[in-house]
Amino acid sequence: MTVTNAETVQEDSPVTRPRRRAPAVVIGVVLLAVFLAGVWAAWFFTIDDAFISFRYAANLAAGHGPVWNVTGPRVEGFTDFGWVVWAGLGAWLGVALPLFMKLTSLVFGLLTLLMLAGTGHRRGGIGGMLVAGGAYVVFLPTYFHITSGLETAAFAAVLLRIVLLGLRVLDGERVRAYEPPVLLLVLGMLRPEGVLAALPTVAVWLWRERRSRAAWSWTAGAALVGGGYFVWRWKYYGQLLPNTFYVKFGNLTSGRMWTEHTTWLLLPLLLLTLSLVIRRATRRIGSLLVVTVLLTYVTYAVSGPSMDYLDRFADHAVPVLCLGAGLAAATLGGRWVTTLTGLVAVVWSAVLGATAPDLGTIANYGPDLQRAHVAIGKGLATAEVPEQARTLAVSDAGAMPYYSGWHSTDFIGLNDPQISRGADPTQVVLHARPTVIVLTASSPTPGSSSYGLNVAEATAGYQEVAAVQMRDNYFQTVWALPEWAGTVREHVQTAVATAAPLNDPGRYDETVGRWLDRLKRQLPGF
């Protein structure tokens, strides 16, 4: 069922068509301009976790398979297999992975905006287009998720496309037989819980096409490919679930807090989407949207995900909620009701997105990562240490292992099967006896423990060669075995000294002001 706006022009003559299209074109240009400005403002950001996927991808492109370390036990320290494979293509082509994956996410972000603006206008007129597209482009976290290097923007775009297919099915329109099963498979490859999020649309489509041989053939094919992948990864890694599920998930208290915060963050979008279920004319499309959002969020609500910077996991269904809000605002009543409700939804998204508690940290994360983690990794890569001695233990298992290329022990356990299943990190590190240990600390002098590692015991016999500040109250201290301490010190300190003047020199504050100052310096006339 297509929802139309009260402003629909009655005549469809060559004269009236351009007049009707003109406001939509102007709005589309404005939305695109805001979107591109937001991407530019966040372009320098890459999250450390993205380099975990990049390391697996680089090893895959080099012919070693999707592994953390080239030698030793295999471990699946990622939940985005499809993203890793795509990054592997970029690595094989020789493109810098942060750039390759940012550009990929930018394309998905543009497609999301196009789908929201186009569907909002087609089903809800100008009002629907303004609310659906506007709530998306003013939500500041959108841009940091696009430039993070992770699969968030891709997941959100594919999920939105699946939902749009579901709306077409409910309208009685034909859908290409391959599209729902293929999108279900793609979403599940991007993240395992994506299969659950896509089920409502696929179920509705299959019911309508229950007599179609093509529909069942494509669905069976997708199921075989998905099942084959599951069996392969189980045999390849020797574990039922990705390693991160054993480390990061299962905290119900954290899940409750996540649910409460997400509900408040997206409240107008949630309420407007729910209102579609109340009215008979929009009940079917509203039910599809609501159930999809619920199934998308239920895994996070019951698991309590960690590292949910700027509500990353909420962003998976934000475009669906933007669409729901746009359709609801356009059908609530007259022009004033549409304007008021749409304004509340858009302004709420803008204000809460721009006042997120962790925005100061994330907005400055790019230069902070470059002058600390990336610099340390590059320094290790150039240190004169023989291949067999290039072994590293870290807590922040991202850019440092990726740029160094060293055999790495992740003592948080994301990429270590022993620690993820309860092994003592200190004993694992002592057994590995790596050449370099990098500890995360709140000061240049580490405390007694760091992410479960007994600092004194683990670093006994090592020399501290560098203390690198990332931001206020956040340091990386580098320790090396005596025989390699000299070259590690020289190369790490040189890399850090090279990176420092290029990345907010002298500023370590976690404030939005530092980010804005940096943007001003990049603008002409400042």
Side-chain angles (χ1 to χ4, degrees):
M1 181 193 67
T2 300
V3 180
T4 56
N5 192 287
E7 299 177 2
T8 301
V9 179
Q10 296 300 316
E11 296 184 19
D12 191 22
S13 67
V15 175
T16 58
R17 280 199 298 269
R19 291 178 182 174
R20 291 194 317 188
R21 284 197 293 264
V25 171
V26 172
I27 292 169
V29 170
V30 172
L31 292 175
L32 178 61
V34 174
F35 176 84
L36 293 177
V39 172
W40 166 79
W43 190 253
F44 50 80
F45 171 69
T46 307
I47 197 71
D48 196 41
D49 278 8
F51 289 96
I52 295 176
S53 297
F54 295 171
R55 181 174 167 101
Y56 282 94
N59 284 331
L60 174 63
H64 304 300
V67 294
W68 177 246
N69 289 314
V70 174
T71 60
R74 295 169 180 166
V75 60
E76 187 181 15
F78 57 89
T79 53
D80 51 0
F81 180 77
W83 197 244
V84 167
V85 171
W86 178 251
L89 173 62
W92 181 76
L93 292 172
V95 183
L97 286 186
L99 175 62
F100 185 74
M101 304 314 282
K102 285 172 186 281
L103 291 174
T104 299
S105 290
L106 173 59
V107 171
F108 277 111
L110 285 169
L111 290 174
T112 298
L113 177 58
L114 180 63
M115 288 186 285
L116 286 173
T119 306
H121 183 247
R122 186 168 59 255
R123 291 177 170 268
I126 295 298
M129 181 182 185
L130 274 170
V131 176
Y136 177 70
V137 300
V138 302
F139 190 56
L140 193 56
T142 293
Y143 304 108
F144 290 98
H145 296 311
I146 286 174
T147 62
S148 70
L150 290 173
E151 78 292 337
T152 312
F155 186 99
V158 176
L159 179 61
L160 179 63
R161 175 60 184 170
I162 288 174
V163 167
L164 295 185
L165 289 181
L167 299 187
R168 289 174 56 187
V169 170
L170 292 177
D171 288 342
E173 299 178 22
R174 301 295 300 179
V175 171
R176 289 183 286 267
Y178 67 84
E179 202 166 355
V182 169
L183 290 177
L184 171 70
L185 184 63
V186 170
L187 202 63
M189 289 292 186
L190 286 173
R191 289 194 65 85
E193 63 269 24
V195 173
L196 189 63
L199 279 181
T201 287
V202 174
V204 170
W205 171 75
L206 268 181
W207 174 253
R208 200 194 72 171
E209 300 293 330
R210 58 190 179 276
R211 294 185 177 87
S212 169
R213 181 176 297 178
W216 285 106
S217 296
W218 277 103
T219 303
L224 284 174
V225 173
Y229 159 71
F230 186 83
V231 172
W232 168 82
R233 55 158 298 280
W234 193 350
K235 293 183 66 176
Y236 189 80
Y237 294 109
Q239 55 190 43
L240 181 63
L241 298 172
N243 213 45
T244 51
F245 280 82
Y246 298 100
V247 179
K248 286 190 172 183
F249 289 83
N251 189 330
L252 294 180
T253 300
S254 179
R256 177 182 57 79
M257 294 173 61
W258 181 88
T259 302
E260 291 173 355
H261 183 264
T262 299
T263 300
W264 176 249
L265 176 74
L266 304 174
L267 187 60
L269 302 181
L270 288 165
L271 291 177
L272 282 168
T273 303
L274 281 170
S275 73
L276 292 170
V277 181
I278 298 174
R279 299 189 304 280
R280 178 176 297 179
T282 57
R283 185 165 296 159
R284 291 194 304 163
I285 64 174
S287 297
L288 179 64
L289 295 177
V290 169
V291 172
T292 298
V293 172
L294 286 176
L295 290 179
T296 303
Y297 285 165
V298 67
T299 53
Y300 314 131
V302 301
S303 65
S306 60
M307 288 299 293
D308 191 36
Y309 67 93
L310 284 184
D311 309 284
R312 172 197 167 198
F313 292 101
D315 199 69
H316 285 163
V318 163
V320 176
L321 289 171
C322 289
L323 176 64
L327 299 183
T331 59
L332 282 175
R335 180 179 300 176
W336 287 108
V337 175
T338 296
T339 301
L340 181 60
T341 55
L343 187 63
V344 168
V346 173
V347 171
W348 187 288
S349 298
V351 171
L352 266 72
T355 57
D358 53 347
L359 179 60
T361 300
I362 296 303
N364 298 298
Y365 195 99
D368 292 348
L369 193 75
Q370 288 292 324
R371 65 187 175 190
H373 298 59
V374 173
I376 293 171
K378 290 181 176 180
L380 292 176
T382 59
E384 296 168 358
V385 178
E387 186 64 35
Q388 66 273 15
R390 288 179 169 245
T391 54
L392 171 69
V394 293
S395 56
D396 288 353
M400 282 182 279
Y402 174 74
Y403 280 103
S404 71
W406 287 26
H407 187 286
S408 299
T409 300
D410 161 21
F411 57 79
I412 288 182
L414 294 177
N415 303 279
D416 189 285
Q418 300 178 72
I419 296 174
S420 67
R421 288 166 173 77
D424 181 7
T426 304
Q427 296 304 313
V428 172
V429 171
L430 286 173
H431 182 265
R433 191 63 174 173
T435 295
V436 171
I437 299 175
V438 183
L439 301 175
T440 301
S442 59
S443 71
T445 303
S448 59
S449 66
S450 177
Y451 291 99
L453 189 75
N454 185 306
V455 171
E457 191 175 353
T459 60
Y462 286 75
Q463 294 180 12
E464 183 178 349
V465 299
V468 184
Q469 185 171 6
M470 180 179 181
R471 55 177 180 262
D472 283 343
N473 304 313
Y474 202 100
F475 289 78
Q476 298 293 334
T477 61
V478 184
W479 303 71
L481 290 173
E483 56 266 38
W484 309 115
T487 184
V488 171
R489 177 185 293 108
E490 176 188 353
H491 287 270
V492 167
Q493 291 186 355
T494 298
V496 170
T498 301
L502 304 176
N503 295 284
D504 291 355
R507 293 198 65 174
Y508 299 95
D509 51 296
E510 300 176 70
T511 62
V512 173
R514 172 154 68 106
W515 171 50
L516 296 177
D517 289 343
R518 186 167 60 254
L519 295 181
K520 289 178 182 178
R521 291 195 299 270
Q522 297 175 12
L523 291 172
F526 285 91

